């Protein structure tokens, strides 16, 4: 498994077509997982209501753990897209600009992924936050280190925008390859 801090070490060689396929595969994976995550959020809300905010309730802890495991899958898709984009950006200036433009949102998702490597610690950290766990769940704003995060419409729209920017740069590169160079 590739960890976030060392993600660029020992990357196997890949053609541009293979890298674009990786981007597409993990983009689709993250998008298709979005609805499941929303279902798991609802399960957390229901478990919280049943436990009346009791932070030691086993059902609530299990639901929160499951939700964070689903978050982990989602941000792992972001990691794989970032790895492919990193390598594509080395080959193409337009993709380097895409990577640079999306670096803050990429880094946020990757920082959350790094935290989620220790899922149980992340669950415990939620329970140690100031205030009531029920409020945290209702606000759908979980803390991962210094980052407040959830998989929401904003995250999904960022993913769509990233994918569209990569595809636009790919299309532009393909069009430029077909144009004879003037010397």
């Amino acid at each position: 498994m590739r960890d976030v801090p060392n993600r660029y070490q020992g990357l196997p060689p890949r053609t541009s077509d293979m890298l674009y396929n990786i981007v597409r595969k993990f983009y689709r994976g993250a998008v298709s997982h979005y609805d499941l995550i929303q279902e798991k959020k609802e399960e957390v809300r229901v478990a919280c209501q049943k436990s009346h905010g009791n932070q030691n309730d086993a059902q609530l802890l299990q639901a929160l753990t499951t939700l964070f495991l689903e978050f982990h899958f989602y941000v792992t898709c972001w990691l794989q897209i970032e790895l492919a984009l990193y390598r594509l950006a080395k080959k193409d200036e337009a993709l380097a600009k895409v990577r640079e433009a999306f670096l803050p949102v990429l880094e946020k998702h990757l920082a959350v992924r790094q935290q989620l490597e220790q899922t149980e610690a992340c669950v415990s950290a939620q329970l140690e936050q100031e205030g009531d766990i029920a409020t945290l769940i209702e606000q759908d704003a979980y803390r991962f280190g210094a980052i407040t995060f959830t998989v929401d419409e904003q995250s999904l729209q960022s993913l769509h925008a990233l994918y569209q920017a990569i595809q636009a740069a790919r299309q532009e590169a393909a069009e430029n390859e077909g144009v004879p160079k003037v010397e």
Side-chain angles (χ1 to χ4, degrees), residues 35-50:
D35 289 337
L36 176 62
I37 290 171
Q38 302 319 302
E39 290 174 20
K40 296 304 176 187
K41 285 182 188 181
E42 185 57 32
E43 289 176 14
V44 168
R45 282 190 281 278
V46 168
C48 184
Q49 289 171 353
K50 286 181 180 177

Side-chain angles (χ1 to χ4, degrees), residues 22 26 30 80 85 89 120 130 148 183:
I22 289 168
F26 285 99
Q80 294 300 324
L85 181 57
E120 289 180 16
E130 284 186 32
T148 301
E183 293 184 27

Side-chain angles (χ1 to χ4, degrees), residues 4 6-7 25 28 43-44 59-60 65 69 90 94-95 103 115-116 119 130 132 146 165 174 178 181:
V4 173
N6 302 309
R7 66 187 177 270
K25 172 184 173 183
R28 288 179 178 171
E43 289 176 14
V44 168
Q59 187 177 3
L60 174 59
T65 300
L69 289 171
K90 289 183 165 287
L95 287 163
L103 199 54
Q115 293 285 321
L116 282 167
T119 306
E130 284 186 32
D132 181 21
K181 294 184 179 180

